[in-house]
Amino acid sequence: MSQIPYKIYLSESEIPAAWYNVRAEMKNDIAPMLNPGTKKPVTLSDLEPVFCTELAKQELNNTDKFIEIPEEVRNFYKMYRPSPLVRAYCLEKALDTPAHIYYKYEGGNTSGSHKLNSAIAQAYYAKKQGLKGLTTETGAGQWGTALAMACGYFGLSLKVFMVKCSAEQKPFRKAVMETYGASVTPSPSMETEVGRQINKMYPNSTGSLGTAISEAVEVAVTSEGTRYALGSVLNQVLLHQTIIGLEAGKALEKIGEYPDIVIGCAGGGSNLGGLMAPFISDRINGRRNPYFIAVEPASCPSLTRGRFGYDFCDTGHVTPLAKMYTLGNGFIPSSSHAGGLRYHGMSSILSQLYHDGYLDEARSVTQTDVFAAAKQFARVEGILPAPESAHAIRVAIDEALKCKESGEQKTILFGLTGTGYFDMTAYMSYNSGTMSDYIPSDEDLERGFATMPSIEE
Ligand SMILES: *Cc1c(COP(=O)(O)O)cnc(C)c1O
């Protein structure tokens, strides 16, 4: 019997020609986004001042199962895709498990994560519409970097509001974005109404994603020829990220494998939503029965401890409301939290799939356990993982160890979303033994829930 290779590559011509839109197949569609002013379901014309038109249409599309990937986007994909699907032989050996472990590695581009898959699509549609530029927010910096690359490629301007504490901790990230031509402003800034208000109310604010989003949206809607772009959470982003799962599905098919378990880390839900693509279709249509696990930080537990309801996507309440699992738009994770995935809400699509039992399980893990898994993985598989990705590694290892106990030979697929080169402060804290775990109390969470709007459904 010929052995399955370490890396299962597809050829360039096998890059999928269309993204998969799970909404066309979901038994219960997501609840509509609401206009923040009228609280009525948003229409295309509500979204058009914020997003470019083609993306606004994708955001609302619940009928087309496949949406063609424009040729210009496919050409860009060819520079760094198909991404490898790796059989984790060395990890399997180290764990002494009968499980077959595969990971889809998305860190092989300069931005260092899967975020480029959506960034290039969003920049393309903006260019096609004749816009001048985009605005966005970034937390850890991966999204800002990816969008800077994409805007640089299409000759668009980009203004990035970067969460202040992150901008201070990660000067190199800022330098990369600037190299690609973006301008980077620490948030909260004094350049926007929202930023000035937050600075007045909380003079020592180190920023949050929710505030940075408000600032970026404000600049987009008040500047001519400018729109806003978001790197996760939205339906359009999950759509673009299905390239990950569609490629993984094709590669697994080539070697005659099918995942029993599909694992992804979940911040806003885009990489997991994307990785699940062909497998969730099989599941919804009763063809196969893969088990899906979302992994989130114990310090920002939106699926495991959040509420399923309408909430604002930002702190300044300028964005539409989405029905999702959320900790409340005012929730801010503990400052000791180092591993990313710190957004208060979760993609409406993933939230609905979780609510309906298609996303089988959400599991929260503490950051010291996450970094232990990251280190173990780096030593045997060679890749230094992003802390976000290491959430998925943690659970993949735990599931593989269960297989060792039971003797079951399960096939496990997880998303290795990126590299950790810009996260060395967090690694240093783990290596020196100073990293701590903070799990929010019920009272902490109540304070977050109190910031959710009350919407009658
Ligand atoms: C942004 C990011 C994530 C989390 O975002 P999702 O939308 O939940 O996928 C995970 N891993 C890396 C490396 C990231 O940059």
Side-chain angles (χ1 to χ4, degrees):
M1 203 182 100
S2 67
Q3 202 200 20
I4 293 167
Y6 272 72
K7 285 188 183 160
I8 304 109
Y9 281 108
L10 299 173
S11 67
E12 211 171 270
S13 61
E14 289 172 299
I15 296 177
W19 295 298
Y20 164 71
N21 180 14
V22 67
R23 287 182 69 193
E25 299 203 291
M26 282 166 69
K27 293 285 182 275
N28 298 313
D29 191 20
I30 60 174
M33 280 184 172
L34 304 180
N35 178 307
T38 63
K39 308 285 191 310
K40 294 262 182 336
V42 294
T43 58
L44 188 61
S45 58
D46 286 329
L47 293 180
E48 279 181 313
V50 183
F51 302 112
C52 63
T53 305
E54 202 52 42
L55 291 165
K57 285 184 186 159
Q58 290 181 1
E59 199 56 35
L60 298 173
N61 190 324
N62 63 358
T63 50
D64 297 317
K65 185 172 158 191
F66 288 102
I67 294 175
E68 193 186 322
I69 304 175
E71 197 186 339
E72 290 86 339
V73 176
R74 291 192 80 205
N75 284 342
F76 187 90
Y77 280 167
K78 284 176 193 167
M79 288 197 269
Y80 70 101
R81 308 200 68 82
S83 73
L85 179 75
V86 183
R87 173 73 184 270
Y89 280 118
C90 302
L91 181 62
E92 288 172 19
K93 191 163 168 233
L95 298 174
D96 190 23
T97 174
H100 292 185
I101 307 175
Y102 293 89
Y103 57 88
K104 181 73 170 157
Y105 180 48
E106 292 292 323
N109 66 78
T110 298
S111 79
S113 82
H114 65 286
K115 296 214 168 65
L116 192 55
N117 301 333
S118 182
I120 194 63
Q122 296 194 43
Y124 165 76
Y125 290 117
K127 180 73 185 177
K128 197 174 151 216
Q129 193 174 325
L131 299 176
K132 284 191 277 204
L134 294 171
T135 68
T136 196
E137 77 296 325
T138 198
Q142 289 97 321
W143 168 245
T145 310
L147 195 62
M149 287 174 72
C151 286
Y153 182 75
F154 284 120
L156 295 165
S157 72
L158 174 66
K159 186 171 180 65
V160 181
F161 287 92
M162 185 169 189
V163 177
K164 195 181 272 171
C165 59
S166 185
E168 284 160 6
Q169 276 168 17
K170 299 185 170 186
F172 291 153
R173 272 280 179 208
K174 183 166 176 279
V176 179
M177 288 184 255
E178 287 168 350
T179 303
Y180 283 97
S183 84
V184 181
T185 309
S187 165
S189 76
M190 295 303 280
E191 292 179 23
T192 65
E193 202 53 50
V194 173
R196 286 189 289 272
Q197 262 176 35
I198 299 272
N199 272 316
K200 199 163 140 199
M201 276 156 57
Y202 312 100
N204 298 317
S205 170
T206 55
S208 72
L209 267 183
T211 302
I213 294 175
S214 305
E215 292 205 86
V217 172
E218 184 183 318
V219 172
V221 298
T222 53
S223 316
E224 206 211 311
T226 305
R227 296 290 186 283
Y228 165 71
L230 181 62
S232 183
V233 187
L234 297 173
N235 306 332
Q236 55 187 276
V237 182
L238 256 78
L239 176 75
H240 305 149
Q241 294 300 354
T242 60
I243 188 90
I244 304 173
L246 294 168
E247 280 184 8
K250 273 195 194 181
L252 285 171
E253 202 178 311
K254 281 197 168 180
I255 52 167
E257 289 261 42
Y258 193 90
D260 297 300
I261 308 177
V262 179
I263 301 166
C265 62
S270 73
N271 86 84
L272 175 58
L275 180 66
M276 287 164 66
F279 315 113
I280 188 76
S281 178
D282 288 347
R283 171 77 180 267
I284 291 173
N285 292 295
R287 292 188 291 263
R288 304 289 295 241
N289 201 21
Y291 188 84
F292 299 105
I293 308 178
V295 191
E296 59 184 14
S299 52
C300 192
S302 51
L303 282 172
T304 48
R305 294 174 71 197
R307 291 202 179 142
F308 188 43
Y310 271 106
D311 195 9
F312 288 98
C313 299
D314 67 322
T315 317
H317 300 182
V318 297
T319 58
L321 294 113
K323 188 172 177 193
M324 57 185 172
Y325 279 89
T326 176
L327 297 166
N329 61 78
F331 178 84
I332 295 184
S334 150
S335 59
S336 67
H337 171 76
L341 311 174
R342 43 171 56 242
Y343 187 63
H344 66 271
M346 186 57 66
S347 134
S348 288
I349 292 177
L350 269 199
S351 293
Q352 189 68 45
L353 290 172
Y354 183 53
H355 192 70
D356 292 341
Y358 287 100
L359 167 56
D360 297 271
E361 186 184 338
R363 215 179 280 181
S364 71
V365 289
T366 58
Q367 59 179 352
T368 49
D369 286 345
V370 165
F371 277 85
K375 228 166 139 166
Q376 187 177 8
F377 181 85
R379 288 180 184 187
V380 294
E381 288 288 326
I383 296 169
L384 180 81
E388 292 91 341
S389 320
H391 287 72
I393 298 174
R394 172 73 273 158
V395 168
I397 290 178
D398 292 345
E399 289 301 309
L401 289 173
K402 280 189 202 161
C403 289
K404 182 183 175 182
E405 291 276 301
S406 66
E408 282 175 287
Q409 195 195 76
K410 288 190 178 165
T411 298
I412 298 171
L413 169 67
F414 74 89
L416 189 69
T417 49
T419 53
Y421 302 130
F422 287 104
D423 299 285
M424 296 325 290
T425 315
Y427 272 94
M428 277 158 67
S429 146
Y430 178 73
N431 289 337
S432 65
T434 54
M435 178 176 278
S436 62
D437 292 317
Y438 181 78
I439 300 178
S441 66
D442 289 341
E443 294 80 72
D444 291 337
L445 295 187
E446 282 303 327
R447 276 194 291 279
F449 295 142
T451 63
M452 287 171 68
S454 58
I455 301 287
E456 285 187 28
E457 285 181 53

